[in-house]
Amino acid sequence: MLCDAMTQSIVVQVGQCGNQVGCRFWDLALREHSHVNKTGIYDEALSSFFRNVDARRSDGGACDLIGRRVQSLKARAVLVDMEEGVVKEILQGPLREVFDSRQLITDVSGSGNNWAVGHWTYGSAYREQIVDQLRRAAEHCDCLQCFFLIHSMGGGTGSGLGTCVLRLLEEEFPEVCRIVTSVYPSAEDDVITSPYNSVLAMRELTEHADCVLPVENQSLVDIVNKIKHMSHSGNPGSVIKKDTAIISGQGGVSGNEKPFDAMNNIVANLLLNITSSARFEGSLNMDLNEIAMNLVPFPRLHYLVPSLTPLYTLSDVNIPTRRLDQMFTDAFSKDHQLIRADPKHSLFLACALMVRGNVQVSDLRRNIERLRSTLPFVSWNQEGWKTGLCSVPPVGHSHSLLALANNTCVKATFMELRDRFTKLYRKKAHLHHYLQVDGMEQGCFTEAISSLSSLIEEYSQLDTTKYRVMPDAARLNMATSPL
């Protein structure tokens, strides 16, 4: 969709995990905007993800014109969950003013950790209501650029209804970019049917998303533990500056931290950074549509491995701030990936670097040149870098970097998932729970595993070209405008 005007995006959060992550995103986004916007004026930055509503008007009328005073900010969001607990908690918490009841779609019984119930039973029962809410949210946008869908893969609602919503987005808004953040279960997940749910959802993601940002629960746990170990080490040089750790939500609207908040904050920070160029000015702003355009050379291979750096800022002012170059190095180390993978030892199809803070284009160029020889790119896209610079850093940091790598390292996650699926499916364990749901057939399972296997095979074929890189031709300078 091409627009001369400013653009807006809508966040669709589905299931318990999707709504908890979404809640952290809105909390931290409000903190960022209040840090930057000192005037209380509704500006283009706010309008990208928030409406400005005059609650005193009986019709809940909008005063979305840029330059007016902020009355009551409402998130451009649709919240869906088939258990009402999390959404009810949001409505009773400090973010209750950011949503109104018309943005919420809930049931009471849940999906019972069953993809088929979420996708087919609730998908058909709530289809009309979901489409109505999506259309209503879209009508409030001057130029709708992107849908951000947040969900998890292991349960029933996030995986089943979440991918049903994804399909509805494609049907209703085929021209609008669909970026999905998918949280994958760990091998020790307590939902025994999570491999079924994840593989059934994978087929939908492969067919209907423009980009998927995969995040693994185990990676989030590892990052949380690493930061907590660092902060409790007792080493004077390892004291983390208050509220700068990527797992911290303090300083936002919310009060007490809950068990999963640390993990959810990492995913929320991923969303903060990917949306930063839509929300703030920069010398080299990256259009959200350009992510798919530049990073996805083949339509099915649209899984972009995210990494975030820095994970924290040290409070000791005598320790020099981590050199900027170190931030770029860290973005490609396995400790900073949001899935368990090491992209340096796999093949890059393309890579985006989304930098925030006081960083120059020359810093970007220098670091890409420095790292280029250690990062294997496909022979036909050796210049496959996309870069963005947003001048506003995250609160508490001088700069930050989000890397999105279209890299064959994601294959290992998919192979592990396929193995766990096969162990269950070979025994036909728990299959009857799915097959008794209206609309669900055994063919759904065979098609889903076939889709995943062919995806793995496509990555494997690319991997075989890794050591057949063509000789270097004379290099052109890196393009910093759209590739």
Side-chain angles (χ1 to χ4, degrees):
M1 185 181 289
L2 296 174
C3 299
D4 296 325
M6 62 209 167
T7 61
Q8 295 83 34
S9 296
I10 295 169
V11 176
V12 186
Q13 37 200 74
V14 185
Q16 178 178 327
C17 174
N19 279 291
Q20 287 174 332
V21 169
C23 186
R24 306 307 301 146
F25 166 74
W26 294 111
D27 190 2
L28 295 173
L30 284 170
R31 174 170 69 150
E32 277 196 354
H33 284 286
S34 65
H35 197 75
V36 173
N37 184 332
K38 303 294 188 188
T39 62
I41 298 298
Y42 185 67
D43 56 12
E44 290 193 7
L46 278 170
S47 77
S48 58
F49 280 82
F50 293 92
R51 296 177 59 223
N52 187 23
V53 173
D54 189 346
R56 295 167 301 181
R57 285 171 52 177
S58 58
D59 61 352
C63 39
D64 284 347
L65 291 177
I66 300 300
R68 291 198 177 179
R69 289 207 67 76
V70 170
Q71 299 289 338
S72 174
L73 292 177
K74 298 290 182 189
R76 299 189 188 275
V78 176
L79 285 63
V80 183
D81 200 0
M82 295 299 99
E83 289 175 327
E84 58 184 355
V86 173
V87 171
K88 188 180 275 186
E89 203 175 294
I90 293 169
L91 286 184
Q92 292 169 351
L95 286 174
R96 60 187 174 278
E97 300 297 331
V98 180
F99 309 102
D100 66 49
S101 57
R102 291 178 298 179
Q103 294 171 269
L104 318 174
I105 299 168
T106 59
D107 200 291
V108 292
S109 49
S111 299
N113 294 322
N114 187 326
W115 182 90
V117 173
H119 197 81
W120 297 114
T121 308
Y122 287 127
S124 56
Y126 284 93
R127 178 193 169 98
E128 207 169 297
Q129 205 177 330
I130 291 168
V131 169
D132 282 350
Q133 295 297 348
L134 293 170
R135 285 178 181 161
R136 178 177 289 161
E139 283 164 8
H140 289 306
C141 299
D142 293 325
C143 179
L144 176 57
Q145 184 179 44
C146 188
F147 284 104
F148 286 92
L149 176 65
I150 315 169
H151 74 134
S152 70
M153 301 286 279
T157 300
S159 69
L161 188 54
T163 52
C164 177
V165 170
L166 176 63
R167 196 186 282 233
L168 291 177
L169 290 174
E170 185 181 45
E171 288 173 11
E172 295 291 323
F173 307 93
E175 303 302 314
V176 181
C177 184
R178 298 173 299 283
I179 298 178
V180 185
T181 301
S182 301
V183 180
Y184 284 70
S186 64
E188 295 75 39
D189 193 79
D190 58 358
V191 176
I192 196 161
T193 53
S194 70
Y196 285 164
N197 298 330
S198 300
V199 170
L200 289 162
M202 277 286 299
R203 183 190 178 203
E204 303 294 319
L205 293 180
T206 301
E207 298 299 327
H208 303 293
D210 289 310
C211 294
V212 178
L213 311 177
V215 174
E216 277 187 299
N217 258 332
Q218 191 56 51
S219 287
L220 300 179
V221 169
D222 293 345
I223 290 172
V224 170
N225 289 340
K226 179 182 174 185
I227 293 173
K228 287 186 173 174
H229 177 74
M230 174 87 170
S231 60
H232 295 139
S233 67
N235 181 343
S238 302
V239 178
I240 294 175
K241 187 177 171 187
K242 189 177 187 300
D243 297 340
T244 67
I246 201 168
I247 63 173
S248 169
Q250 296 303 317
V253 177
S254 292
N256 297 328
E257 295 279 299
K258 296 184 181 61
F260 289 106
D261 277 352
M263 292 163 66
N264 293 336
N265 281 327
I266 299 172
V267 189
N269 273 281
L270 160 63
L271 291 162
L272 275 184
N273 287 335
I274 199 172
T275 60
S276 62
S277 63
R279 294 183 296 118
F280 300 115
E281 286 301 309
S283 58
L284 192 65
N285 264 11
M286 189 188 299
D287 194 285
L288 290 169
N289 291 327
E290 292 176 321
I291 295 173
M293 182 71 70
N294 289 278
L295 296 188
V296 182
F298 307 112
R300 285 165 53 86
L301 305 187
H302 54 234
Y303 293 86
L304 309 178
V305 178
S307 70
L308 288 164
T309 178
L311 300 176
Y312 50 79
T313 297
L314 296 176
S315 61
D316 189 341
V317 292
N318 296 316
I319 298 172
T321 305
R322 272 198 133 178
R323 291 199 333 275
L324 191 64
D325 291 8
Q326 184 65 44
M327 181 175 78
F328 285 88
T329 302
D330 286 347
F332 296 98
S333 80
K334 63 180 192 301
D335 291 343
H336 288 72
Q337 309 304 313
L338 299 195
I339 67 169
R340 285 168 302 156
D342 191 351
K344 291 200 300 289
H345 295 131
S346 297
L347 191 64
F348 284 83
L349 281 70
C351 186
L353 300 176
M354 305 178 79
V355 186
R356 300 181 62 180
N358 185 20
V359 180
Q360 307 303 315
V361 174
S362 58
D363 296 319
L364 269 172
R365 286 192 175 127
R366 184 184 72 255
N367 276 286
I368 287 175
E369 285 304 322
R370 180 176 66 84
L371 292 165
R372 189 193 290 275
S373 63
T374 66
L375 304 173
F377 271 70
V378 286
S379 59
W380 39 265
N381 199 23
Q382 292 282 301
E383 305 293 328
W385 297 89
K386 178 68 192 159
T387 54
L389 283 176
C390 169
S391 56
V392 178
V395 177
H397 293 271
S398 57
H399 45 253
S400 74
L401 169 60
L402 164 66
L404 297 174
N406 194 339
N407 187 293
T408 59
C409 68
V410 78
K411 179 180 75 169
T413 297
F414 298 159
M415 289 173 72
E416 186 185 303
L417 183 57
R418 180 175 64 180
D419 290 346
R420 284 163 46 214
F421 174 96
T422 305
K423 276 180 191 165
L424 276 180
Y425 192 66
R426 197 183 288 131
K427 294 182 171 61
K428 301 290 186 276
H430 301 282
L431 216 54
H432 63 288
H433 296 303
Y434 291 77
L435 298 180
Q436 66 195 18
V437 175
D438 274 353
M440 190 70 185
E441 299 169 358
Q442 193 147 346
C444 295
F445 284 91
T446 52
E447 287 167 15
I449 198 64
S450 169
S451 170
L452 181 57
S453 290
S454 39
L455 187 68
I456 291 167
E457 180 57 27
E458 287 171 62
Y459 283 114
S460 295
Q461 286 178 0
L462 283 165
D463 266 336
T464 63
T465 69
K466 181 179 170 187
Y467 299 107
R468 289 190 277 131
V469 176
M470 293 162 73
D472 275 0
R475 280 215 173 99
L476 298 172
N477 285 335
M478 182 197 82
T480 52
S481 54
L483 297 174

